[in-house]
Each structure stands twice: as structure tokens, then as C-alpha cells.
Amino acid sequence: MKQRTTLTATLLALVLSWLATEAAEVKPGAAWEGVVAAAKKEGEVRLWGDMEITHPDIVGAFMKEFPFIKAVTVTGRVGDLMPRIAAERRAGKYLADIYSGGLGGRAFFDFQRAGMLDPLKPALLLPDVVDESKWQNGKHHYADGEGQYVFMFEGSVAGVGLYYNTKLLDPKEFQSYWDLLNPKWKGKIAVFERPGTGSPNMVRFYYNPQLGPEFVRRLWSEMDLVVSKERRQGTDWLGSGKFALCIDCADTDAARKQGVPVEEFDRAYLKEAGGAISTSGNSGLGLMNRAPNPNAARLMINWFLSRQGQTVWQEAMNKKVVEPSDSMRVDIPKDGVLPSARREERKKYVVTGFQDPDPAAKLIQEIRAKSSKQ
């Protein structure tokens, strides 16, 4: 009799626990249904950014899930789109709902600092998204200091940002970034500066305690760096042998697959490189304030950050864009993530948000201005 009573009590406790869980999910469910209904009335969502949010595979998968929403895309990099969005807003035009793109450099930092973003955190409604146990280190990560505006959905292990021509040097010659200051490399180093954002790795170098402002100063004042402003140009220069080294080169993975002799340094060769997740090389998501379609924007944000959305994003980036990309979600397959971006399973990584790019930019500008007068 006692055993039967105990069993009944256990079953009752389980049922009550299940009911409590179901009741806890009613509120976000009700809120979600309200957003869906309002999004239907809006009928469209405007996505601005790079392939992270505008790739046809991502847009197509979203519209298949929500056929009553038309996704309108404006494709470009943050260095190009941020000034455009700012100019349109000054003219009283609020045309963007969501922005997604690279976090490196200063442009996304300026979005948040200029007050162009609404808090994204309150827009997260789906239990699948809200559950922080599904994300790296068991939490959501935001690039901004307030922890609510710029969602870091990409958690690729930060690359070293330094590339070389495999026919012109042996990476074993390097043990540190400081080896870039060897006189033999003077005039043989290119730097790719993203329009409007500069060189993301210069910011990393500036704040790295093992490198710092002194390293940045000597690099720019002693090594006759040559700057490229075009995404593929630096890689072409590197592959052709015009330069032996390139900082922040782009599209090197795609170039290497085409037989171009370019490669990124392995972290093992650069003792200051570490193995963190940072804003350099990773992407973020922002909800524009005064968005023309705020409910459709919330619908897209939740789908995009869901297990389904991040699976589509991760596959598109690695297979179609051929840009190594690892989602911050830990509950989706990682087999398709290109090795240079893939995190180790169950390892905790240090995640670094925005670092003020102004001090590094000011230092570099001063050095370049002084050099031009000589």
C-alpha cells in the first residue's frame, strides 16, 4: 500500500512538473502568435547586409517557412551600407529592418554608438532561441557592452589575420607577430582595409597585451606597408607574388581552392594569436530602430537564430559562400564547418566584444600623415 502511494505521488509530481513546464511556455507562445499575426499584416521584411543575412538560400528558407512575408534584401558590406543608412535616416527615410554583417572594424560599432539600433534581447521569443544552454558557453553573447543590441550568432575561432604566399616563405620562420618587423619583409607586406572599417586586426593588435600600440606603431612606421581597398585585390597581390605577406586579406579560402598559393598562418606559429572568439572575423545581428516592419523583423530574427535558421546559415556560408563559419549554437551539426573556423566540442572559449577602434585608427592616421610629409 505504501509503495502504491509513493508511486502515485511520484506520478502526480511528474504530471504537475510537465504541466508547469507547459504553462511556462504559454506566455512566449502567445507572444509569438501575436508577432506572427502582426507580421502578416506588414507583409514584408527588409534585410540589409552581407551574405550572412541576404544569401538566397537563407532568404529562400525563411520565405518557405513564412510564405506570407516577402523578404526584400539590400546586399553589401557594413562599410558601404552604414553610411548609406545614416544618410537616409538624416533625410527621414527609415528603410532597414535588420542589419547583419561582419563585426570587425568600426562600422557595426558605430551603428550601436550612433543609437540606430533597438535592443534585440526583448525580441527573442521562441523557446528554441531563448534557451541559452543551446549556445556556446551556455549563454547568449552580445558584442556591445550593454549586452542587448548586437547579437553575436557566429562563433568562429578567430583567425590570425595574417596570410602568406606559400612559394615565397616558410611559415616556420615565424614564431611571433613581432617577426613581421624583420627588415627582410620591408615593402613586402600588404594590408587590406575594408571601406569604412579599416583593418580589424589592427584593433586586435592594439589591444593585445603582448603587442599593443608599440607594435602597431613600428609596423606602420618601419615596414612600408601597402594598403589595398578592394576585397580581392590584396589576395591577388599575394597570390601573384607581388607581396609575401598580407594582413586581413579576404577570400583566401576560395583562392586556395582555385590553386592560388595563399595560406593563413596557423596559430601555432604566432604565440600571441591565442584561440578566442572575437568581433574580428565574426558576424552579428542588429534590429534597426524605427524599423518599417518591426514584427516581421522579430519573426525573421527568431527564425534566423533558431536551430533551423542557423543550420541553413552555417551550411550556406561554408558551402556556397565558402567562408569558414561556425554558429554559436552548439546543438547543430558541425561536420560541414570548414576546419579553420571550427570550435572544439565542449571547450569554453573566451568571447570578446567590441573594442573601441578609434585609438588604433588615430595612431595609424598620425603615422601615415607624418610619412606623407617626409
Side-chain angles (χ1 to χ4, degrees):
M1 184 69 179
K2 184 176 181 180
Q3 289 179 336
R4 189 176 298 174
T5 302
T6 302
L7 179 60
T8 301
T10 301
L11 289 172
L12 179 60
L14 288 171
V15 169
L16 290 174
S17 175
W18 177 80
L19 288 173
T21 301
E22 290 295 301
E25 293 182 355
V26 167
K27 287 187 177 180
W32 176 248
E33 291 304 319
V35 167
V36 172
K40 283 183 179 180
K41 294 179 180 179
E42 292 169 353
E44 72 172 23
V45 62
R46 300 176 184 178
L47 312 175
W48 288 53
D50 207 346
M51 288 291 102
E52 284 88 349
I53 196 75
T54 63
H55 191 279
D57 286 11
I58 298 170
V59 174
F62 170 72
M63 291 180 65
K64 183 178 180 180
E65 189 73 16
F66 302 101
F68 48 85
I69 300 294
K70 178 183 178 183
V72 179
T73 62
V74 179
T75 302
R77 297 188 172 275
V78 67
D80 302 319
L81 295 183
M82 196 277 187
R84 178 177 166 183
I85 291 174
E88 289 173 345
R89 286 177 163 240
R90 286 194 295 270
K93 298 178 181 178
Y94 296 82
L95 306 179
D97 290 312
I98 296 172
Y99 181 86
S100 181
L103 291 165
R106 64 169 306 110
F108 220 138
F109 174 83
D110 284 344
F111 261 137
Q112 193 258 332
R113 187 165 62 174
M116 295 186 187
L117 302 176
D118 266 345
L120 186 144
K121 194 171 185 177
L124 305 181
L125 299 172
L126 288 179
D128 172 41
V129 175
V130 174
D131 184 356
E132 297 194 36
S133 70
K134 309 298 185 186
W135 298 85
Q136 179 64 32
N137 296 350
K139 63 178 294 186
H140 294 153
H141 295 278
Y142 291 83
D144 61 283
E146 295 177 54
Q148 59 176 335
Y149 288 97
V150 184
F151 194 100
M152 295 177 69
F153 62 86
E154 180 180 356
S156 304
V157 178
V160 303
L162 181 62
Y163 304 83
Y164 64 98
N165 183 303
T166 58
K167 294 182 178 181
L168 297 181
L169 66 80
D170 182 345
K172 293 179 182 177
E173 295 183 60
F174 283 74
Q175 297 180 354
S176 164
Y177 283 108
W178 288 98
D179 292 327
L180 285 171
L181 303 181
N182 188 321
K184 72 184 290 185
W185 305 124
K186 186 174 182 177
K188 298 180 180 179
I189 305 173
V191 178
F192 170 53
E193 288 190 340
R194 291 162 175 79
T197 67
S199 166
N201 275 290
M202 291 302 160
V203 179
R204 289 175 62 196
F205 297 161
Y206 188 92
Y207 288 103
N208 187 318
Q210 296 174 280
L211 299 172
E214 178 63 12
F215 173 77
V216 176
R217 184 191 65 77
R218 290 189 59 190
L219 185 65
W220 282 91
S221 61
E222 298 177 14
M223 301 310 296
D224 290 346
L225 302 182
V226 177
V227 174
S228 167
K229 296 286 188 180
E230 298 179 15
R231 180 176 174 85
R232 185 58 189 265
Q233 185 183 53
T235 301
D236 289 342
W237 284 349
L238 187 65
S240 67
K242 184 174 181 179
F243 295 93
L245 295 147
C246 183
I247 299 170
D248 279 319
C249 267
D251 299 329
T252 52
D253 289 286
R256 187 171 60 255
K257 289 188 176 183
Q258 295 169 6
V260 179
V262 296
E263 185 66 77
E264 184 175 15
F265 273 87
D266 189 281
R267 281 184 290 275
Y269 293 112
L270 302 164
K271 64 183 180 182
E272 305 90 357
I277 298 169
S278 72
T279 54
S280 179
N282 283 294
S283 299
L285 185 71
L287 172 62
M288 305 303 298
N289 63 12
R290 301 185 66 174
N293 306 290
N295 293 288
R298 286 168 174 76
L299 195 71
M300 177 63 182
I301 286 169
N302 280 270
W303 176 85
F304 183 73
L305 297 178
S306 71
R307 190 175 193 274
Q308 179 190 8
Q310 283 296 283
T311 300
V312 173
W313 169 81
Q314 187 176 269
E315 184 171 340
M317 295 302 292
N318 286 282
K319 293 184 178 179
K320 299 293 182 65
V321 183
V322 196
E323 188 169 299
S325 305
D326 194 349
S327 171
M328 279 283 200
R329 290 197 71 115
V330 296
D331 62 340
I332 62 178
K334 303 295 182 177
D335 297 345
V337 176
L338 294 170
S340 62
R342 192 183 304 161
R343 301 188 303 276
E344 294 180 33
E345 192 175 353
R346 290 185 292 276
K347 178 178 178 179
K348 292 200 79 171
Y349 288 84
V350 174
V351 181
T352 304
F354 285 139
Q355 295 172 313
D356 188 348
D358 285 340
K362 182 180 179 182
L363 174 61
I364 293 169
Q365 287 170 3
E366 290 173 352
I367 295 169
R368 291 164 82 169
K370 184 177 179 180
S371 177
S372 66
K373 293 178 181 179
Q374 293 176 347

